[in-house]
C-alpha cells in the first residue's frame, strides 16, 4: 500500500510541477494519533523549530516527523492539533499585545474564528510530496500568486463555484493552510503571516495553498484539464 501511495503522490507532484510555478516541492503532511501509527522510514527531526519552518524544510527535500516537543511555536502546534491552543492566544491577549488589533474585544472576535484541529495527536509527518509513501491529510503548496491562480482555476473547472478563502494574516501555514483544509475537507488559500515570512522564509511574492486529501484528486484532475 505504501508503494501505491508513493506512486500516486509522485504523479500528483509531477502534474502540479508541470502546471504551477514552484521553487520548492509541494509538502505532504499526516497527523498521527499515537506512536504506534508512525510509518517506517521517518526519523524524528533533530531540532526545535516552528511548524512553518518544518513545512519549508520538507519543501526543500527533507522527510521527518515531529511531536509536540520539537514544535517551537505553541500557537502553530495548537492549530495543527499537537496540543491545546495556549490560553493567551486563544483569548486574543497575545495578538492584542502585539498591536495587531484596535482592542482586546476585536482580537477575541478574530481568534475565536481561527482554524484549529481540536483532536490532540501524538505527532505529524512531513515529506516532499514526491517522496511521501503515505496518504497525506493535507498537501501544502508554496507558490507565487500566478500559481495560486492556476490552482483556483483547477478547482472551479469542476465545481463552477467561486473560491472563498479564509485567512487573517496570522497563523498562516498552520491554521489557514493545514487546519482549515483538514477540518473543512476542502482547499484554502492564504497570504502568509509575519511568523512564516520571518522564520520559514516565505518570500514577499509567495503565498500558500493547502489541499485536503478529499480534494486532491479534483484539483489534479482540473490541473490536467486546463
Amino acid at each position: 500500500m505504501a508503494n501505491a501511495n508513493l506512486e500516486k503522490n509522485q504523479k500528483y507532484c509531477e502534474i502540479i510541477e508541470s502546471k504551477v510555478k514552484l521553487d520548492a516541492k509541494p509538502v505532504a503532511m499526516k497527523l498521527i494519533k499515537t506512536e504506534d501509527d508512525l510509518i517506517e522510514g521517518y526519523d524524528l527531526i533533530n531540532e526545535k523549530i516552528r511548524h512553518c519552518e518544518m513545512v519549508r524544510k520538507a519543501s526543500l527535500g527533507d522527510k521527518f516527523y515531529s511531536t509536540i516537543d520539537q514544535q517551537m511555536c505553541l500557537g502553530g502546534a495548537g492549530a495543527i492539533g499537537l496540543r491545546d491552543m495556549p490560553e493567551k492566544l486563544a483569548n486574543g491577549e497575545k495578538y492584542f499585545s502585539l498591536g495587531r488589533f484596535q482592542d482586546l474585544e476585536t482580537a477575541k472576535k478574530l481568534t475565536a474564528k481561527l482554524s484549529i484541529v481540536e483532536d490532540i495527536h501524538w505527532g505529524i509527518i512531513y515529506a516532499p510530496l514526491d517522496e511521501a509513501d503515505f496518504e497525506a491529510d493535507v498537501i501544502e503548496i508554496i507558490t507565487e500568486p500566478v500559481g495560486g491562480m492556476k490552482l483556483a482555476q483547477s478547482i472551479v473547472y469542476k465545481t463552477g463555484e467561486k473560491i472563498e478563502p479564509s485567512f487573517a494574516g496570522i497563523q498562516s501555514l498552520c491554521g489557514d493552510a493545514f487546519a482549515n483544509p483538514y477540518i473543512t475537507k476542502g482547499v484554502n488559500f492564504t497570504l502568509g503571516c509575519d511568523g512564516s515570512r520571518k522564520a520559514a522564509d516565505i518570500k514577499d511574492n509567495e503565498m500558500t495553498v493547502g489541499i485536503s486529501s478529499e480534494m486532491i484528486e479534483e484539483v489534479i484532475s482540473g490541473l490536467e484539464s486546463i
Side-chain angles (χ1 to χ4, degrees):
M1 189 61 190
N3 283 343
N5 282 327
L6 180 60
E7 282 175 24
K8 194 163 60 171
N9 287 334
Q10 285 172 339
K11 181 188 154 212
Y12 291 162
C13 193
E14 192 179 316
I15 293 163
I16 293 167
E17 287 181 326
S18 72
K19 298 281 190 171
V20 179
K21 186 176 181 184
L22 300 178
D23 288 326
K25 295 280 182 189
V27 176
M29 285 162 284
K30 183 177 183 64
L31 283 169
I32 41 181
K33 205 65 176 155
T34 69
E35 190 171 358
D36 293 336
D37 299 325
L38 194 57
I39 299 164
E40 275 185 37
Y42 294 85
D43 293 327
L44 184 65
I45 189 170
N46 61 0
E47 57 187 326
K48 187 165 185 168
I49 55 176
R50 298 163 178 80
H51 162 78
C52 55
E53 292 178 276
M54 295 188 191
V55 175
R56 177 54 95 186
K57 274 180 80 75
S59 79
L60 298 175
D62 289 355
K63 48 190 272 195
F64 51 87
Y65 75 93
S66 161
T67 70
I68 183 59
D69 296 333
Q70 292 74 46
Q71 296 279 343
M72 183 188 285
C73 174
L74 299 184
I80 64 173
L82 295 189
R83 58 159 289 157
D84 289 328
M85 188 60 76
E87 190 181 350
K88 284 188 187 305
L89 279 180
N91 65 19
E93 283 179 33
K94 174 74 172 171
Y95 289 117
F96 175 58
S97 73
L98 292 172
R100 299 283 180 82
F101 297 93
Q102 62 179 359
D103 51 43
L104 185 56
E105 192 181 335
T106 309
K108 272 190 178 144
K109 184 179 172 187
L110 188 279
T111 52
K113 295 175 184 170
L114 291 174
S115 299
I116 296 163
V117 177
E118 299 287 354
D119 288 348
I120 306 301
H121 293 73
W122 176 82
I124 181 169
I125 304 172
Y126 301 81
L129 181 58
D130 58 0
E131 291 183 44
D133 55 354
F134 55 86
E135 184 180 356
D137 290 328
V138 174
I139 293 165
E140 286 191 22
I141 300 170
I142 300 166
T143 182
E144 292 183 7
V146 67
M149 177 194 78
K150 277 283 185 203
L151 289 162
Q153 290 170 342
S154 76
I155 296 163
V156 302
Y157 180 84
K158 285 287 181 77
T159 64
E161 298 287 343
K162 288 188 81 173
I163 292 160
E164 297 184 11
S166 172
F167 62 89
I170 56 176
Q171 297 206 353
S172 178
L173 271 69
C174 53
D176 295 343
F178 184 88
N180 179 286
Y182 182 89
I183 295 161
T184 65
K185 302 182 177 6
V187 179
N188 197 26
F189 292 64
T190 179
L191 298 182
C193 58
D194 289 338
S196 61
R197 293 200 181 279
K198 284 176 191 157
D201 194 30
I202 303 300
K203 306 285 193 301
D204 285 356
N205 64 337
E206 288 179 329
M207 59 179 290
T208 305
V209 181
I211 306 167
S212 65
S213 60
E214 291 84 359
M215 276 294 290
I216 185 64
E217 282 282 355
E218 198 162 302
V219 172
I220 294 296
S221 172
L223 277 175
E224 286 183 296
S225 302
I226 60 175

